[in-house]
mmCIF file of all heavy atoms in Angstrom:
data_model
loop_
_atom_site.group_PDB
_atom_site.id
_atom_site.type_symbol
_atom_site.label_atom_id
_atom_site.label_comp_id
_atom_site.label_asym_id
_atom_site.label_seq_id
_atom_site.Cartn_x
_atom_site.Cartn_y
_atom_site.Cartn_z
ATOM 1 N N GLY A 181 5.975 -5.161 15.921
ATOM 2 C CA GLY A 181 7.338 -5.531 15.575
ATOM 3 C C GLY A 181 7.720 -4.952 14.230
ATOM 4 O O GLY A 181 6.851 -4.564 13.435
ATOM 5 N N ARG A 182 9.001 -4.908 13.938
ATOM 6 C CA ARG A 182 9.449 -4.338 12.663
ATOM 7 C C ARG A 182 8.890 -5.098 11.467
ATOM 8 O O ARG A 182 8.466 -4.503 10.480
ATOM 9 C CB ARG A 182 10.979 -4.319 12.603
ATOM 10 C CG ARG A 182 11.624 -3.220 13.437
ATOM 11 C CD ARG A 182 13.128 -3.245 13.279
ATOM 12 N NE ARG A 182 13.666 -4.522 13.737
ATOM 13 C CZ ARG A 182 14.857 -5.003 13.380
ATOM 14 N NH1 ARG A 182 15.622 -4.316 12.556
ATOM 15 N NH2 ARG A 182 15.291 -6.157 13.840
ATOM 16 N N ASP A 183 8.905 -6.428 11.550
ATOM 17 C CA ASP A 183 8.397 -7.230 10.429
ATOM 18 C C ASP A 183 6.900 -6.998 10.223
ATOM 19 O O ASP A 183 6.427 -6.946 9.082
ATOM 20 C CB ASP A 183 8.661 -8.723 10.672
ATOM 21 C CG ASP A 183 10.135 -9.071 10.535
ATOM 22 O OD1 ASP A 183 10.878 -8.271 9.938
ATOM 23 O OD2 ASP A 183 10.544 -10.141 11.040
ATOM 24 N N GLU A 184 6.172 -6.860 11.313
ATOM 25 C CA GLU A 184 4.733 -6.585 11.212
ATOM 26 C C GLU A 184 4.492 -5.223 10.557
ATOM 27 O O GLU A 184 3.613 -5.078 9.698
ATOM 28 C CB GLU A 184 4.095 -6.595 12.594
ATOM 29 C CG GLU A 184 3.991 -7.963 13.233
ATOM 30 C CD GLU A 184 3.392 -7.888 14.622
ATOM 31 O OE1 GLU A 184 3.916 -7.145 15.471
ATOM 32 O OE2 GLU A 184 2.371 -8.567 14.856
ATOM 33 N N LEU A 185 5.264 -4.243 10.969
ATOM 34 C CA LEU A 185 5.132 -2.902 10.392
ATOM 35 C C LEU A 185 5.461 -2.910 8.897
ATOM 36 O O LEU A 185 4.788 -2.258 8.100
ATOM 37 C CB LEU A 185 6.046 -1.918 11.123
ATOM 38 C CG LEU A 185 5.657 -1.573 12.562
ATOM 39 C CD1 LEU A 185 6.770 -0.795 13.240
ATOM 40 C CD2 LEU A 185 4.354 -0.770 12.595
ATOM 41 N N LYS A 186 6.493 -3.669 8.541
ATOM 42 C CA LYS A 186 6.880 -3.762 7.133
ATOM 43 C C LYS A 186 5.760 -4.375 6.300
ATOM 44 O O LYS A 186 5.433 -3.882 5.216
ATOM 45 C CB LYS A 186 8.154 -4.601 6.987
ATOM 46 C CG LYS A 186 9.423 -3.907 7.444
ATOM 47 C CD LYS A 186 10.623 -4.843 7.332
ATOM 48 C CE LYS A 186 11.884 -4.193 7.851
ATOM 49 N NZ LYS A 186 13.040 -5.129 7.806
ATOM 50 N N GLN A 187 5.171 -5.467 6.793
ATOM 51 C CA GLN A 187 4.083 -6.123 6.063
ATOM 52 C C GLN A 187 2.858 -5.223 5.944
ATOM 53 O O GLN A 187 2.207 -5.165 4.897
ATOM 54 C CB GLN A 187 3.711 -7.440 6.761
ATOM 55 C CG GLN A 187 4.768 -8.524 6.659
ATOM 56 C CD GLN A 187 5.119 -8.862 5.214
ATOM 57 O OE1 GLN A 187 4.240 -9.021 4.357
ATOM 58 N NE2 GLN A 187 6.405 -8.956 4.935
ATOM 59 N N LEU A 188 2.549 -4.520 7.028
ATOM 60 C CA LEU A 188 1.409 -3.606 7.005
ATOM 61 C C LEU A 188 1.648 -2.475 6.024
ATOM 62 O O LEU A 188 0.735 -2.056 5.297
ATOM 63 C CB LEU A 188 1.167 -3.054 8.413
ATOM 64 C CG LEU A 188 -0.061 -2.147 8.598
ATOM 65 C CD1 LEU A 188 -1.336 -2.860 8.175
ATOM 66 C CD2 LEU A 188 -0.171 -1.692 10.050
ATOM 67 N N LEU A 189 2.882 -1.977 5.971
ATOM 68 C CA LEU A 189 3.227 -0.901 5.048
ATOM 69 C C LEU A 189 3.128 -1.368 3.600
ATOM 70 O O LEU A 189 2.597 -0.657 2.744
ATOM 71 C CB LEU A 189 4.636 -0.394 5.344
ATOM 72 C CG LEU A 189 5.150 0.750 4.455
ATOM 73 C CD1 LEU A 189 4.223 1.958 4.529
ATOM 74 C CD2 LEU A 189 6.563 1.147 4.869
ATOM 75 N N ILE A 190 3.599 -2.579 3.323
ATOM 76 C CA ILE A 190 3.516 -3.139 1.969
ATOM 77 C C ILE A 190 2.062 -3.257 1.529
ATOM 78 O O ILE A 190 1.694 -2.871 0.416
ATOM 79 C CB ILE A 190 4.209 -4.520 1.906
ATOM 80 C CG1 ILE A 190 5.722 -4.357 2.036
ATOM 81 C CG2 ILE A 190 3.867 -5.244 0.600
ATOM 82 C CD1 ILE A 190 6.469 -5.666 2.227
ATOM 83 N N ALA A 191 1.217 -3.795 2.417
ATOM 84 C CA ALA A 191 -0.207 -3.970 2.104
ATOM 85 C C ALA A 191 -0.892 -2.624 1.906
ATOM 86 O O ALA A 191 -1.705 -2.458 0.980
ATOM 87 C CB ALA A 191 -0.893 -4.753 3.219
ATOM 88 N N SER A 192 -0.563 -1.649 2.746
ATOM 89 C CA SER A 192 -1.181 -0.317 2.653
ATOM 90 C C SER A 192 -0.761 0.392 1.370
ATOM 91 O O SER A 192 -1.569 1.046 0.718
ATOM 92 C CB SER A 192 -0.800 0.530 3.866
ATOM 93 O OG SER A 192 -1.287 -0.036 5.054
ATOM 94 N N ARG A 193 0.508 0.261 1.005
ATOM 95 C CA ARG A 193 0.994 0.881 -0.235
ATOM 96 C C ARG A 193 0.315 0.282 -1.459
ATOM 97 O O ARG A 193 0.008 0.996 -2.414
ATOM 98 C CB ARG A 193 2.510 0.702 -0.346
ATOM 99 C CG ARG A 193 3.322 1.691 0.478
ATOM 100 C CD ARG A 193 4.795 1.392 0.359
ATOM 101 N NE ARG A 193 5.610 2.400 1.002
ATOM 102 C CZ ARG A 193 6.908 2.254 1.254
ATOM 103 N NH1 ARG A 193 7.513 1.117 0.922
ATOM 104 N NH2 ARG A 193 7.590 3.226 1.826
ATOM 105 N N GLU A 194 0.070 -1.022 -1.428
ATOM 106 C CA GLU A 194 -0.586 -1.684 -2.552
ATOM 107 C C GLU A 194 -2.030 -1.196 -2.688
ATOM 108 O O GLU A 194 -2.496 -0.917 -3.802
ATOM 109 C CB GLU A 194 -0.559 -3.203 -2.354
ATOM 110 C CG GLU A 194 -1.223 -4.001 -3.463
ATOM 111 C CD GLU A 194 -0.599 -3.791 -4.836
ATOM 112 O OE1 GLU A 194 0.575 -3.369 -4.904
ATOM 113 O OE2 GLU A 194 -1.292 -4.033 -5.843
ATOM 114 N N LYS A 195 -2.734 -1.066 -1.563
ATOM 115 C CA LYS A 195 -4.100 -0.540 -1.593
ATOM 116 C C LYS A 195 -4.115 0.890 -2.136
ATOM 117 O O LYS A 195 -4.970 1.257 -2.930
ATOM 118 C CB LYS A 195 -4.711 -0.573 -0.190
ATOM 119 C CG LYS A 195 -5.008 -1.959 0.335
ATOM 120 C CD LYS A 195 -5.540 -1.897 1.768
ATOM 121 C CE LYS A 195 -5.770 -3.283 2.334
ATOM 122 N NZ LYS A 195 -6.226 -3.233 3.750
ATOM 123 N N LEU A 196 -3.154 1.681 -1.677
ATOM 124 C CA LEU A 196 -3.080 3.068 -2.124
ATOM 125 C C LEU A 196 -2.775 3.144 -3.609
ATOM 126 O O LEU A 196 -3.346 3.971 -4.327
ATOM 127 C CB LEU A 196 -2.011 3.814 -1.323
ATOM 128 C CG LEU A 196 -1.801 5.289 -1.690
ATOM 129 C CD1 LEU A 196 -3.085 6.088 -1.485
ATOM 130 C CD2 LEU A 196 -0.672 5.891 -0.851
ATOM 131 N N ARG A 197 -1.886 2.279 -4.089
ATOM 132 C CA ARG A 197 -1.538 2.271 -5.506
ATOM 133 C C ARG A 197 -2.762 1.987 -6.373
ATOM 134 O O ARG A 197 -2.982 2.645 -7.395
ATOM 135 C CB ARG A 197 -0.464 1.202 -5.772
ATOM 136 C CG ARG A 197 0.052 1.187 -7.212
ATOM 137 C CD ARG A 197 0.991 0.012 -7.427
ATOM 138 N NE ARG A 197 0.314 -1.260 -7.292
ATOM 139 C CZ ARG A 197 -0.418 -1.823 -8.245
ATOM 140 N NH1 ARG A 197 -0.591 -1.208 -9.413
ATOM 141 N NH2 ARG A 197 -1.000 -2.986 -8.043
ATOM 142 N N ILE A 198 -3.587 1.034 -5.937
ATOM 143 C CA ILE A 198 -4.796 0.680 -6.696
ATOM 144 C C ILE A 198 -5.775 1.858 -6.714
ATOM 145 O O ILE A 198 -6.345 2.195 -7.752
ATOM 146 C CB ILE A 198 -5.460 -0.568 -6.079
ATOM 147 C CG1 ILE A 198 -4.557 -1.787 -6.273
ATOM 148 C CG2 ILE A 198 -6.831 -0.810 -6.698
ATOM 149 C CD1 ILE A 198 -5.014 -3.026 -5.525
ATOM 150 N N ILE A 199 -5.961 2.497 -5.560
ATOM 151 C CA ILE A 199 -6.885 3.627 -5.479
ATOM 152 C C ILE A 199 -6.378 4.811 -6.299
ATOM 153 O O ILE A 199 -7.152 5.472 -6.999
ATOM 154 C CB ILE A 199 -7.085 4.051 -4.005
ATOM 155 C CG1 ILE A 199 -7.895 2.978 -3.271
ATOM 156 C CG2 ILE A 199 -7.802 5.398 -3.908
ATOM 157 C CD1 ILE A 199 -8.072 3.238 -1.802
ATOM 158 N N GLU A 200 -5.076 5.063 -6.256
ATOM 159 C CA GLU A 200 -4.509 6.162 -7.039
ATOM 160 C C GLU A 200 -4.681 5.923 -8.528
ATOM 161 O O GLU A 200 -4.967 6.851 -9.286
ATOM 162 C CB GLU A 200 -3.034 6.344 -6.686
ATOM 163 C CG GLU A 200 -2.800 6.994 -5.336
ATOM 164 C CD GLU A 200 -1.331 7.110 -4.982
ATOM 165 O OE1 GLU A 200 -0.532 6.274 -5.467
ATOM 166 O OE2 GLU A 200 -0.970 8.014 -4.223
ATOM 167 N N GLN A 201 -4.513 4.669 -8.958
ATOM 168 C CA GLN A 201 -4.691 4.335 -10.369
ATOM 169 C C GLN A 201 -6.140 4.565 -10.803
ATOM 170 O O GLN A 201 -6.407 5.156 -11.858
ATOM 171 C CB GLN A 201 -4.305 2.881 -10.620
ATOM 172 C CG GLN A 201 -2.797 2.633 -10.630
ATOM 173 C CD GLN A 201 -2.454 1.191 -10.910
ATOM 174 O OE1 GLN A 201 -3.298 0.280 -10.762
ATOM 175 N NE2 GLN A 201 -1.226 0.931 -11.288
ATOM 176 N N LYS A 202 -7.096 4.118 -9.983
ATOM 177 C CA LYS A 202 -8.510 4.316 -10.302
ATOM 178 C C LYS A 202 -8.844 5.797 -10.305
ATOM 179 O O LYS A 202 -9.571 6.297 -11.167
ATOM 180 C CB LYS A 202 -9.388 3.590 -9.271
ATOM 181 C CG LYS A 202 -9.347 2.080 -9.377
ATOM 182 C CD LYS A 202 -10.267 1.440 -8.358
ATOM 183 C CE LYS A 202 -10.280 -0.067 -8.485
ATOM 184 N NZ LYS A 202 -11.170 -0.711 -7.478
ATOM 185 N N PHE A 203 -8.287 6.510 -9.323
ATOM 186 C CA PHE A 203 -8.565 7.928 -9.202
ATOM 187 C C PHE A 203 -8.022 8.691 -10.411
ATOM 188 O O PHE A 203 -8.690 9.551 -10.961
ATOM 189 C CB PHE A 203 -7.929 8.470 -7.915
ATOM 190 C CG PHE A 203 -8.399 9.844 -7.544
ATOM 191 C CD1 PHE A 203 -9.563 10.029 -6.821
ATOM 192 C CD2 PHE A 203 -7.676 10.956 -7.925
ATOM 193 C CE1 PHE A 203 -9.994 11.293 -6.486
ATOM 194 C CE2 PHE A 203 -8.103 12.236 -7.588
ATOM 195 C CZ PHE A 203 -9.265 12.397 -6.869
ATOM 196 N N ASN A 204 -6.797 8.359 -10.837
ATOM 197 C CA ASN A 204 -6.185 9.017 -11.989
ATOM 198 C C ASN A 204 -6.968 8.741 -13.261
ATOM 199 O O ASN A 204 -7.119 9.586 -14.137
ATOM 200 C CB ASN A 204 -4.738 8.578 -12.155
ATOM 201 C CG ASN A 204 -3.827 9.095 -11.058
ATOM 202 O OD1 ASN A 204 -4.123 10.112 -10.440
ATOM 203 N ND2 ASN A 204 -2.726 8.405 -10.809
ATOM 204 N N THR A 205 -7.487 7.495 -13.378
ATOM 205 C CA THR A 205 -8.292 7.133 -14.537
ATOM 206 C C THR A 205 -9.602 7.914 -14.561
ATOM 207 O O THR A 205 -10.041 8.389 -15.601
ATOM 208 C CB THR A 205 -8.601 5.616 -14.516
ATOM 209 O OG1 THR A 205 -7.373 4.889 -14.532
ATOM 210 C CG2 THR A 205 -9.430 5.222 -15.730
#
């Protein structure tokens, strides 16, 4: 469903943001 996709996208973006920050450091 759209709401499920939105929640999954939010969670995935947050994981990616954390990994990108660690990677940049």
Side-chain angles (χ1 to χ4, degrees):
R182 284 182 299 160
D183 288 342
E184 289 178 305
L185 290 170
K186 286 177 183 177
Q187 291 303 315
L188 184 57
L189 180 58
I190 290 170
S192 297
R193 280 177 173 167
E194 180 60 22
K195 290 177 183 177
L196 179 60
R197 185 186 65 81
I198 293 171
I199 290 176
E200 286 178 332
Q201 285 181 341
K202 289 182 178 179
F203 192 85
N204 291 335
T205 301

